[in-house]
Amino acid sequence: MDLPAGTRNYSYAQDMAIFRTKTHWALLIALLVILFTAPFYLGNYWLGVINLIGITIIAATGLNILTGYCGQLSIGHAGFIAVGAYTSAVLTNRLELPFLVGFICAGLVAGLVGMVFGIPSLRVKGFYLAISTIAAQFIIIWIINHWSSVTGGFVGITVPYASIGGLVFKSEGSQFFLIMTITALTIFFAKNLARTRVGRAFVAIRDNDLAAEVMGINLFRYKLLAFFIGCFLAGIAGSLLAHWIGFMNAEHFSLIQSILYVGMIIIGGLGTTIGPIFGAVFLRGLDQLLTMELTPFLERSFTALPAGFATGIAPMVFGLVVVLFLVLEPRGLAHRWQLFKASYRLWPFSY
Amino acid sequence: MRKKKLLIISAALCLALIVTLLPAMSACGPATEKTLKIGMSTPSSGPAAEKGSPMGHANLDCFKYINEELGGVAGYQVEVLWLDNAYDASKAATIIKRFMDEDCLFFTTASSAMMTAMMEIANRDEFPGFACFSSPALTHPPKHIYGQTPDYGDDWAAFATYYMENIWKGPGKPKMALHLLNNPTGYGARDAARALADELGIEIVATEEHSTTTSSEIESLTRIRAENPDVLYISSTPAPTAIVIKNAVDLGMYPGMTIACGHASFTSALVDLGGADVVEGVYGVYPTVNWGDDVPSMDKMTEYCQQYHPDDYGNMDYIISWAQSLIAAEILRLAVENAGIDNLTPQLVEEQGFKKMRNFDVGGLHGPVSYSLDDNRLSKSVRVFQIEDGELIAITGWVEAPLIKYEEFDWYGK
């Protein structure tokens, strides 16, 4: 990693540190202070949007480990999120187990289901693997809709508030603290995973699986491990989603959501820790702003517009912005962030 | 080259910023007099836009009429916070929080699916709302969410009641077969039949399912034919329903037995898809009147529709949402009348508005609207139609669907 001029590392510990300079630490603390004081200056709606973004970041981070780091394309991520959501819902509602049990089991069950659907990854890759993960999406949703004695089927299932000990996360603000804490831990985990032996094995498999195998990397083991970790994170995101919304049915986990997750990690920047954060904030934020602000404004202000224009403009602008990003910055927002940091460090010099 | 790229990206970001800040800037202005604020959400984009778009237009057109021509409700202008949910459950979950955050008195949705995504958040905060299209999950058990029109189970119950009273003349129990779409549209009818068939004296002899993409139901109908049913009830959308009826004709089952449909398929599209000669004589239920019917609200609704959204003229979904806005206005009127304007809260509006509704006539657009204890269906009536020469002809007045207490059955939700 590039370091600011005058900064040197004198030990391996310093070299491995994520935050190396006082500026890094100051910025981190400032960010955390701004973030964790948000319930004091934001209303429930914006807290709700941030909660949704936090949950999305966790799930997108899981997909980024699977696809961005290990190169295993998955278009069934919403299905794995559904597994986690329903596992947590069933354990806490029907069996009345504590939230933490439901939360951890949500990750484990989603991880195991992900491994099952990841088995074909040993024989197929690229588009073929994408098709097999789409199958996961459809199979999981079909099971949820038809295993009604457990999942509630089309009627759905109520999910109680998350609680730890006597602390019940009822208000939007308290849910915000829960979700943001888990989001921060997930990001920290993903950042460190990428720097371990496992993370390097994932990258080797992504770059050239044949060469990786020749180097002694057990493809089957590591590919399944990537599926497990990616889907584990999807599962815990699903658990948080279920307890945040309070009611689950299969409508929350459409194929469009799965595709959106792939879009997020591409726009954010594949194979970077910060990519899913940028992607989730950008796409969820843009989506909210267009449909919640722009469309009602146009509908209210320009009644002479042709029918469907105001509502059609949001998806059009959304699609246009996504296409522009892919054309102008195919390496994602994370790359643009790297360029910004580099030019900031070198400023006022160009090189 | 890099500078050019940077310039383009900066320009795009500036444009996005301007576009997003425009609404906020327009919202700034001098304080206005007291208004009644409600939230309305429709899936005006996304996979259900063909239904949601006219419904959103109707909601807003109707409140334009109420505010401009009627002077608002009880002398107060109604401020509608309308948001497009794009038929996206995650977005719906944030929309409901926005409605609550912006001090809306209650909220409405078009689809039952989006209401399902919002309902637990609303129920937890005792924030009342109602959906145009309803499903048993919304109103059973009754909490703070209401259904504007009868659900797919109510369709079955209303038709079964009508059938037993007016069509069935034979001895013993009539034999009924169900052909159901494999989603809540079909399963709503299945659950109602499960709950009420014995009580009404109907024997369910076969239950078959189909998907929205079915191209032939010969096999399932052959199984049904073996049971020799007196009536076939289809709860589905127009295209599969047309296929089932065509196949029943091919197998010689129809004419010869009664066929009836729930409201999801009983529109002019069924005649277009099936052919007027094939679907001749088929019964169906529908919760609203048709365009052009002689009812008090028709002229004003038609005027606004043709003036502001002429493309929506002829769309039945426009009617149901116009009626939804009329009901919303009546709820506000009752709440203001009973509780006063100054201290209105969502809870007060529910107690003094929703729960005070008694036989409110929605300008004849659909059945009367009433609240009765433990029954959160606001309108409980449908009309029975029959297809004659390709036209959907109403053959009854409003037929009330009996309340089914699903939550009292062990199998409900399992």
Side-chain angles (χ1 to χ4, degrees), chain B residues 111-414:
Chain B
S111 77
S112 59
M114 289 303 99
M115 181 56 96
T116 306
M118 297 179 180
M119 73 174 181
E120 193 55 27
I121 297 170
N123 280 330
R124 282 172 172 180
D125 279 42
E126 300 181 7
F127 183 58
F130 69 101
C132 271
F133 295 113
S134 183
S135 71
L138 299 182
T139 52
H140 298 275
K143 290 183 182 171
H144 304 282
I145 301 302
Y146 298 77
Q148 179 187 341
T149 54
D151 60 41
Y152 302 117
D154 293 327
D155 282 357
W156 182 90
F159 175 75
T161 307
Y162 173 80
Y163 180 81
M164 292 305 290
E165 289 172 359
N166 299 284
I167 301 176
W168 176 244
K169 304 292 180 199
K173 288 182 173 182
K175 291 195 276 186
M176 179 182 279
L178 305 174
H179 218 303
L180 310 170
L181 187 61
N182 59 354
N183 73 13
T185 305
Y187 297 149
R190 179 199 63 186
D191 288 350
R194 208 171 167 185
L196 281 186
D198 279 347
E199 193 181 312
L200 292 172
I202 294 172
E203 184 185 359
I204 304 296
V205 292
T207 303
E208 295 287 343
E209 291 181 17
H210 57 261
S211 68
T212 50
T213 53
T214 183
S215 55
S216 171
E217 288 300 325
I218 291 284
E219 195 183 327
S220 58
L221 284 168
T222 303
R223 286 194 294 272
I224 286 178
R225 187 172 61 175
E227 301 294 336
N228 195 24
D230 300 297
V231 54
L232 173 65
Y233 185 86
I234 307 165
S235 187
S236 184
T237 47
T241 303
I243 286 167
V244 172
I245 296 172
K246 270 184 190 172
N247 290 167
V249 171
D250 294 342
L251 288 171
M253 296 167 72
Y254 184 75
M257 67 175 172
T258 303
I259 293 184
C261 311
H263 76 255
S265 65
F266 204 72
T267 68
S268 54
L270 177 63
V271 180
D272 296 340
L273 292 166
D277 53 334
V278 170
V279 298
E280 179 70 13
V282 168
Y283 290 89
V285 294
Y286 203 81
T288 70
V289 295
N290 262 327
W291 283 93
D293 282 0
D294 185 18
V295 294
S297 279
M298 187 58 69
D299 287 347
K300 194 52 73 177
M301 181 178 70
T302 305
E303 178 192 325
Y304 269 73
C305 182
Q306 290 189 327
Q307 186 175 351
Y308 295 106
H309 296 102
D311 293 348
D312 295 337
Y313 184 74
N315 190 310
M316 301 289 274
D317 293 320
Y318 190 96
I319 297 177
I320 207 165
S321 287
W322 183 278
Q324 183 179 45
S325 291
L326 292 178
I327 295 169
E330 176 65 6
I331 290 167
L332 289 172
R333 190 190 68 78
L334 288 168
V336 172
E337 189 177 289
N338 294 324
I341 183 80
D342 292 328
N343 303 313
L344 274 189
T345 61
Q347 292 74 29
L348 259 181
V349 170
E350 183 172 13
E351 288 304 319
Q352 302 299 332
F354 280 83
K355 294 188 176 178
K356 299 288 183 188
M357 299 279 276
R358 299 285 183 275
N359 283 319
F360 172 62
D361 179 6
V362 196
L365 296 178
H366 64 55
V369 176
S370 290
Y371 169 78
S372 38
L373 190 64
D374 292 336
D375 185 358
N376 279 13
R377 300 172 306 155
L378 295 176
S379 168
K380 303 151 181 67
S381 311
V382 292
R383 286 198 302 176
V384 180
F385 290 72
Q386 192 170 21
I387 298 173
E388 290 174 18
D389 298 327
E391 297 291 323
L392 279 59
I393 307 294
I395 55 172
T396 68
W398 298 110
V399 177
E400 189 161 317
L403 172 67
I404 306 169
K405 293 206 167 186
Y406 291 102
E407 59 275 19
E408 291 178 359
F409 292 94
D410 291 340
W411 47 261
Y412 180 63
K414 291 181 181 170

Side-chain angles (χ1 to χ4, degrees), chain A residues 42-49 51-52 94 142 145-146 148-156 158-162 170 172 175 241-247 249 251-252 256-257 260 282 284 286-297 299-301 303 305-308 311-312 314-315 317 321 324-325 327-331 335-336 339, chain B residues 2 5-6 8-9 12-13 16 19-20 22-24 26-27 42-47 49 53 56-57 60-61 64 80-102 112-114 116-121 124-125 136-137 140 143 182-184 187 190-191 209 307-312 412-414:
Chain A
L42 288 180
N44 281 339
Y45 164 63
W46 281 109
L47 284 177
V49 172
N51 281 341
L52 179 62
R94 301 227 193 276
W142 189 90
N145 280 333
H146 289 81
S148 51
S149 60
V150 173
T151 62
F154 288 101
V155 173
T158 307
V159 191
Y161 286 114
K170 262 187 176 178
E172 198 66 41
Q175 289 174 334
L241 184 74
H243 291 277
W244 175 60
I245 291 178
F247 187 86
N249 65 10
E251 297 282 353
H252 290 272
I256 291 172
Q257 289 291 323
L260 200 62
F282 180 76
R284 287 279 191 223
L286 182 69
D287 195 23
Q288 291 283 333
L289 286 171
L290 288 174
T291 53
M292 302 277 194
E293 303 296 341
L294 181 65
T295 303
F297 168 71
E299 191 75 47
R300 198 173 53 238
S301 309
T303 47
L305 289 172
T311 47
V317 172
V321 171
L324 279 177
F325 258 99
V327 171
L328 298 172
E329 192 47 274
R331 283 185 283 181
H335 177 65
R336 185 59 50 189
L339 293 179
Chain B
R2 179 168 285 183
K5 261 185 173 179
L6 201 66
I8 293 170
I9 290 177
L13 285 174
V19 161
T20 50
L22 259 176
S26 74
T42 53
S44 295
S45 58
S53 183
H57 295 155
L60 296 177
D61 288 350
K64 191 177 179 64
V80 179
L81 175 58
W82 169 81
L83 296 171
D84 171 19
N85 58 49
Y87 209 70
D88 177 341
S90 302
K91 203 174 286 173
T94 58
I95 284 175
I96 182 70
K97 288 169 200 280
R98 171 124 179 221
F99 288 156
M100 291 192 281
D101 227 23
E102 297 215 4
S112 59
M114 289 303 99
T116 306
M118 297 179 180
M119 73 174 181
E120 193 55 27
I121 297 170
R124 282 172 172 180
D125 279 42
H140 298 275
K143 290 183 182 171
N182 59 354
N183 73 13
Y187 297 149
R190 179 199 63 186
D191 288 350
E209 291 181 17
Q307 186 175 351
Y308 295 106
H309 296 102
D311 293 348
D312 295 337
Y412 180 63
K414 291 181 181 170

